[in-house]
Amino acid sequence: MRLDHAIAANRNASTGSTGLVLLLVVLTWLLSLPAATHALANGQAGTPPMGWNSWNQVRCYDLTEDVVKQAADALADTGLRDAGYHYVVVDDCWQAPARAADGSLQPDPKRFPHGIADLADYVHSRGLLFGIYAVPGSRTCAMANDAYPASGIGSLGHERQDAETFDRWGVDYLKYDWCNADTVDGLDRKAAFEKMRDELAALPRPIVYAISEYGVSSPWTWARPVANLWRTTYDLVPTWDSVLATIDQQAGVAAHSGSPGGWNDPDMLQVGNGTLTADEARAHFSVWAVLNAPLFAGTDPAKLSDTDLATLGNAEAIAVDQDFAGSQGRRLDAGPGYQVWGKPLTGGGFAVVLLNTGSTTATVSAAIPGTWNVRDLWAHRGTGTVVGAVSSALRPHAAAFLKLTPR
């Protein structure tokens, strides 16, 4: 019996009331997927990329080369690098206020005094890969939203020059962010992203290509031949309401993600940030893992609490994220105060997330025909054999992350 044969889910509220919703997830889960478009043929992102991005940690004006070097050091020293967090991505505000006389991009001379090539070399010396930020229009997002005092630092009209600059600097990953290029510059999303795709393809250096237009034009329907990953939603902020809203938005896009090299991106992780509790952070990470989402930490890795470091570094959860067995995770059932998500795993069996979205302790269950060995991926232990169902009593906003293998 496989996950895509049948599953039922129920939630028993702490008040004792019981509801049962039966959901058939038949073989057509895999067989009825839309015909897959060809992935971007750049040989990159065979599994969802993982790393660190500067934006959620320092946003704009606090971004410096020292911040980036310290993040690279911490990824190596904490073990996160060895857990799979390989990309160190410098987001918006690294740029000088204007291009050089020859039209090339240049870094802010005060905050990046040694230059980007030197910074990339440092990141590479720590056994990591280097990423950078650019935009297809004339304005970056920080220029629009943070009053960043710059002009003409977008890639519009400089696509080839910028791609060649990134190649020369040793860039391994490009985050290409839309930033109102339609209303400001009259650009078409698909055409603009394709233009930079083609410039990157002409380079000798392979570069992972991540595009971000926040899901406005349903990029999951057209971006697979264009980019390695594409944002499916607006920016995630570090609150439970934002996490849950983003989770809800992912329910309709699963069919368009897949290996090799094309991934839905529900935005960077907020583990360790804002008001998220430890339970909420683990729930957030559990769903991102079952979604085969790119995993980019957005906090100071040197200052992570032991709990948050254990969340980000959970090797068993990461293994689920990196395992694509024909479909990313899907929401199998949902009702007042609960959701059930699951995905098939290589070699048989599947991963299940039981999620308590409510404000009181509750039991969330998934009734799955057959006999299963169950492993709790947060407790890192087997919990025995079950027949026909799995169940977990969960605190508010908590999740159980389970790996089921047939007995």
Side-chain angles (χ1 to χ4, degrees), residues 141 177-180 212-217 219 231-235:
C141 286
D177 201 1
W178 186 242
C179 301
N180 303 312
S212 176
E213 58 80 84
Y214 332 113
V216 172
S217 67
R231 279 277 297 279
T232 59
T233 184
Y234 283 101
D235 289 2

Side-chain angles (χ1 to χ4, degrees), residues 20-373:
L20 177 65
V21 179
L22 182 64
L23 176 67
L24 293 180
V25 184
V26 293
L27 279 171
T28 52
W29 181 6
L30 299 181
L31 299 179
S32 68
L33 294 180
T37 54
H38 293 294
L40 177 61
N42 65 353
Q44 300 300 293
T47 60
M50 299 170 58
W52 170 89
N53 180 290
S54 63
W55 188 253
N56 288 345
Q57 178 182 328
V58 295
R59 200 169 174 98
C60 180
Y61 293 99
D62 292 330
L63 177 62
T64 68
E65 67 179 37
D66 286 340
V67 165
V68 179
K69 289 180 178 180
Q70 289 162 11
D73 291 341
L75 290 178
D77 296 343
T78 60
L80 289 174
R81 178 194 63 192
D82 296 336
Y85 293 84
H86 293 154
Y87 290 94
V88 174
V89 180
V90 179
D91 211 288
D92 202 357
C93 301
W94 63 268
Q95 310 92 331
R99 289 175 176 267
D102 66 355
S104 61
L105 286 168
Q106 52 188 350
D108 181 274
K110 293 182 179 179
R111 292 181 290 111
F112 292 84
H114 297 96
I116 299 300
D118 178 84
L119 183 58
D121 287 345
Y122 185 87
V123 169
H124 292 148
S125 76
R126 298 311 314 261
L128 294 158
L129 298 166
F130 182 74
I132 207 162
Y133 172 100
V135 300
S138 60
R139 294 196 309 176
T140 74
C141 286
M143 290 171 63
N145 301 323
D146 293 70
Y148 191 62
S151 177
I153 59 172
S155 291
L156 181 61
H158 296 269
E159 290 88 355
R160 176 166 299 180
Q161 184 177 32
D162 289 354
E164 291 175 347
T165 297
F166 299 150
D167 175 68
R168 186 171 66 254
W169 284 346
V171 170
D172 306 293
Y173 181 109
L174 174 63
K175 177 181 175 180
Y176 210 46
D177 201 1
W178 186 242
C179 301
N180 303 312
D182 50 344
T183 57
V184 174
D185 303 298
L187 299 183
D188 173 77
R189 287 170 171 81
K190 186 170 182 287
F193 288 126
E194 286 176 336
K195 186 170 184 61
M196 182 55 81
R197 173 202 62 187
D198 295 343
E199 297 300 345
L200 295 177
L203 301 174
R205 184 178 192 85
I207 295 178
V208 173
Y209 187 33
I211 65 172
S212 176
E213 58 80 84
Y214 332 113
V216 172
S217 67
S218 302
W220 48 89
T221 65
W222 54 260
R224 188 165 167 76
V226 177
N228 297 118
L229 52 152
W230 46 87
R231 279 277 297 279
T232 59
T233 184
Y234 283 101
D235 289 2
L236 182 72
V237 299
T239 67
W240 177 248
D241 286 346
S242 179
V243 170
L244 188 56
T246 300
I247 289 172
D248 288 339
Q249 196 275 340
Q250 304 312 300
V253 305
H256 301 279
S257 187
S259 178
W263 307 104
N264 287 325
D265 178 10
D267 202 12
M268 299 171 288
L269 296 164
Q270 290 284 8
V271 175
N273 291 336
T275 62
L276 292 180
T277 66
D279 281 340
E280 291 168 347
R282 280 191 293 267
H284 168 26
F285 197 86
S286 298
V287 177
W288 262 237
V290 89
L291 288 172
N292 292 117
L295 301 178
F296 280 84
T299 191
D300 186 344
K303 295 181 179 178
L304 285 166
S305 69
D306 290 345
T307 299
D308 287 332
L309 182 59
T311 296
L312 289 171
N314 185 333
E316 294 186 88
I318 290 170
V320 172
D321 177 80
Q322 298 290 290
D323 180 357
F324 183 79
S327 174
Q328 75 162 60
R330 297 196 175 198
R331 188 165 65 187
L332 306 176
D333 193 29
Y338 78 97
Q339 295 189 20
V340 178
W341 290 76
K343 70 179 293 287
L345 296 173
T346 301
F350 50 92
V352 170
V353 175
L354 308 175
L355 179 63
N356 179 6
T357 62
S359 58
T360 60
T361 297
T363 296
V364 182
S365 303
I368 306 172
T371 303
W372 306 92
N373 293 322

